[in-house]
Amino acid sequence: MAERFVRWARRAQRSVFSVVLVLLSMTGPVRARSIEGAPTTVDAPAGRLEGRVHDGVEAFVGIPYAAPPVGPLRWRAPQPAPRWSGVRPAVAFGNDCPQQRLAGDATPSDQPMSEDCLAINVWRPVAARALPVMVWIHGGGFVMGSSASPVLDGAALARRGVVLVSFNYRLGRFGFFAHPALSAEAGGRPAVNFALLDMIAALRWVKANAAAFGGDPANVTLFGESAGGAAVDFLMAAPPAQGLFAKAIVQSGANRLAYARLRTGRPGQISAEAAGVAFATAAGLHNPGANQLRALPVDVVQGGLGLADMQYDRFTAPVIDGDVALDDPVERFAAGAVPASPFIVGSNGAELSQEVFAPLLMSSIRAQLNQASLADLKRVYGDPPAPALIDDYLFTEAARGYARLMAARGAPAWRYVFDYVAEAERGRRTGAAHASELAFLFGNLPASANPADRAMARLMGDYWTNFAKTGDPNGRGLPRWPRQASGDPLMLFSDKGAVVERARDADRLDAVERAAAAARTETPEEPR
């Protein structure tokens, strides 16, 4: 039964993203993005850098934080970046990591792509000194994304009195790949979560260099969206990341997913090593050595992997390896195996429920449910269930769960729902889509944005940077955002501004919680 479900789920997944691929085309011509302004320099432990200063913000971009992970360094933990002499230009963003792009992405990039992509970017206010540091992890399903997207430009947030840092990390099979040959080469030590190791290396770079950029290395907030938010969950629970950041924000990244194991798959789920063997076989390599694997061309390794084709028989994203990732994040949070740090978590009002592929997502969710769970959900969502089930099942309920788990640890925790739709979109949408909050948060709205849109951007920027500064999003002149407590209060960002709601959709989320718990412990039934 599990095997039949896996085959069906793969077909459904391909169908979902085939629809997306038909509607969306590849992005336009490739061109490198650089920053403009007057020259400025910084002497950091990493080396002397020349950036640009514009409108009160100094920017240094495209800085290598690790050695290029190419040739013999492919599928190895990141190594120290080579030293340079003299002044290194830091005015052009680094390469994007190899990926399949989709037009319509909320954070598009058209940077050149290369396996040599481990670059970090820093924005700081002029005369910055001991400021809080915010480190951003981009999303993209662990298979696409870029820190060079203009939507994610850090100048506007830095102007609020923080040092803003973003970086690239290895994607797809370059970032997550296991194979018995690599495990043997490593002496049996797990070798698979290279992207998570990149993130840890970037955080170590921040720890070592923050002070030189006017930041406080003891006051680092890690934040990310979608896969970037899920990465924050993993890093909060990762022993090698402990002590590298003090606070965390998870945006549309809380989930109850059961991630793959290194060598033993869950029911209906392939192990990471089995996926690696299947990929190597498809690439024409039977029982290869590690050097043969590393000799594969970049385009073969990338292999069309992307949101349009996640290749579940040949690829797993983060893997429970017993080293960096000891268990699924939700289990680590529930076990109290994460620091009781200040924490913000939330989701958007209509993450995926209004997309053209929503019916296929609904079918995928129904396939995970037993009869009792389905009946329970129909009681509160209707029969057939309303599309809101998609958003609640994939995002909203887990955000509430993580907030509860952190509050139970005694951590100051806050939850939000972002449901503001830009006025220009209100005739086409009735809820905020996945990643639509990012242009508001980073303050990079289009020129067509109206005063209401810009007011929402100021609200989000104030709350997020207040949190980075003090560990509390509240501040003078802002509606008070209550901490997670009984009644599950949250801040709703909508066309009415920032409004507190309590016990929002409690009956629905309680039913989803029960269904999700059952789905994690039971073998899926045949799709209905």
Side-chain angles (χ1 to χ4, degrees):
M1 183 175 295
E3 291 177 357
R4 291 197 299 272
F5 167 67
V6 170
R7 290 195 297 271
W8 176 87
R10 289 174 185 157
R11 289 196 301 270
Q13 186 72 36
R14 287 194 291 269
S15 298
V16 167
F17 290 110
S18 293
V19 173
V20 179
L21 199 57
V22 168
L23 293 175
L24 306 178
S25 61
M26 295 298 290
T27 56
V30 173
R31 57 184 181 274
R33 180 176 172 236
S34 59
I35 54 176
E36 298 180 351
T40 184
T41 59
V42 64
D43 288 306
R48 195 172 190 203
L49 296 158
E50 180 186 294
R52 293 291 183 265
V53 57
H54 176 72
D55 195 17
V57 172
E58 294 179 311
F60 303 85
V61 302
I63 310 164
Y65 68 87
V70 301
L73 295 186
R74 178 191 283 177
W75 294 321
R76 292 188 190 274
Q79 300 300 304
R83 300 288 300 178
W84 62 83
S85 59
V87 181
R88 180 187 177 96
V91 298
F93 285 89
N95 298 314
D96 283 354
C97 299
Q99 61 189 273
Q100 288 286 106
R101 292 175 172 141
L102 291 177
D105 180 13
T107 57
S109 170
D110 52 12
Q111 283 290 102
M113 287 188 284
S114 169
E115 200 173 354
D116 177 4
C117 60
L118 300 185
I120 200 163
N121 318 302
V122 183
W123 290 263
R124 67 175 185 179
V126 171
R129 184 174 180 181
L131 294 180
V133 181
M134 300 184 74
V135 179
W136 172 254
I137 305 180
H138 72 73
F142 295 111
V143 296
M144 61 176 284
S146 169
S147 65
S149 172
V151 176
L152 303 176
D153 187 280
L157 276 178
R159 205 168 283 120
R160 294 175 174 274
V162 301
V163 174
L164 194 286
V165 179
S166 65
F167 61 91
N168 288 343
Y169 54 91
R170 281 174 278 185
L171 300 170
R173 265 183 290 269
F174 298 97
F176 303 97
F177 183 71
H179 191 279
L182 296 180
S183 298
E185 177 188 66
R189 183 179 176 84
V192 54
N193 287 311
F194 306 103
L196 296 180
L197 292 172
D198 291 345
M199 297 171 193
I200 293 169
L203 286 167
R204 287 175 176 155
W205 188 97
V206 170
K207 191 85 168 177
N209 291 275
F213 287 91
D216 180 356
N219 188 11
V220 174
T221 297
L222 187 63
F223 69 135
E225 183 269 342
S226 194
V232 174
D233 296 331
F234 270 103
L235 294 171
M236 289 183 70
Q242 298 308 300
L244 296 178
F245 57 99
K247 301 181 285 291
I249 303 174
V250 175
Q251 301 172 212
S252 301
N255 61 66
R256 294 183 180 275
L257 293 178
Y259 288 89
R261 260 51 181 172
L262 183 63
R263 297 186 179 92
T264 57
R266 298 174 184 273
Q269 185 184 61
I270 195 168
S271 74
E273 280 196 350
V277 169
F279 161 74
T281 301
L285 297 180
H286 301 275
N287 195 29
N291 290 340
Q292 288 177 282
L293 290 167
R294 291 194 176 97
L296 287 170
V298 170
D299 61 339
V300 172
V301 177
Q302 204 290 314
L305 176 66
L307 291 179
D309 183 7
M310 291 294 283
Q311 302 177 10
Y312 290 113
D313 57 340
R314 287 164 285 155
F315 172 70
T316 60
V319 176
I320 308 308
D321 62 3
D323 184 22
V324 177
L326 303 186
D327 204 344
D328 295 325
V330 69
E331 305 296 347
R332 297 284 288 168
F333 275 68
V338 299
S341 308
F343 184 69
I344 291 177
V345 62
S347 58
N348 290 2
E351 296 268 10
L352 299 174
S353 59
Q354 296 181 24
E355 308 307 320
V356 294
F357 49 84
L360 290 170
L361 290 177
M362 182 68 80
S363 295
S364 178
I365 290 170
R366 289 171 66 109
Q368 301 173 46
L369 305 174
N370 61 33
Q371 293 289 354
S373 294
L374 184 59
D376 193 17
L377 291 169
K378 285 180 178 179
R379 178 181 57 82
V380 289
Y381 286 92
D383 187 6
L389 173 60
I390 296 168
D391 306 318
D392 292 346
Y393 194 90
L394 298 178
F395 298 96
T396 313
E397 184 279 323
R400 187 186 71 166
Y402 274 73
R404 287 175 167 180
L405 291 171
M406 289 299 286
R409 295 279 326 281
W414 292 264
R415 186 165 71 98
Y416 73 89
V417 169
F418 180 86
D419 206 21
Y420 182 87
V421 178
E423 289 206 6
E425 295 290 319
R426 289 182 190 173
R428 295 186 288 272
R429 294 195 63 89
T430 58
H434 189 65
S436 63
E437 85 278 17
L438 297 182
F440 294 90
L441 171 59
F442 280 84
N444 295 319
L445 295 173
S448 60
N450 64 19
D453 298 338
R454 297 190 184 282
M456 177 54 64
R458 286 192 297 273
L459 267 178
M460 288 200 75
D462 285 345
Y463 280 121
W464 262 242
T465 54
N466 284 348
F467 179 78
K469 293 170 184 176
T470 69
D472 188 324
N474 292 291
R476 186 174 180 180
L478 295 173
R480 182 149 191 85
W481 185 350
R483 284 169 54 165
Q484 171 68 31
S486 61
D488 299 304
L490 61 82
M491 185 63 82
L492 174 66
F493 296 96
S494 71
D495 59 359
K496 296 180 177 61
V499 179
V500 175
E501 289 202 357
R502 298 178 186 275
R504 178 183 172 93
D505 300 326
D507 288 346
R508 294 192 334 194
L509 297 185
D510 288 348
V512 170
E513 182 180 24
R514 291 189 291 269
R520 284 179 62 83
T521 58
E522 297 178 5
T523 300
E525 299 177 4
E526 281 294 287
R528 288 176 291 278

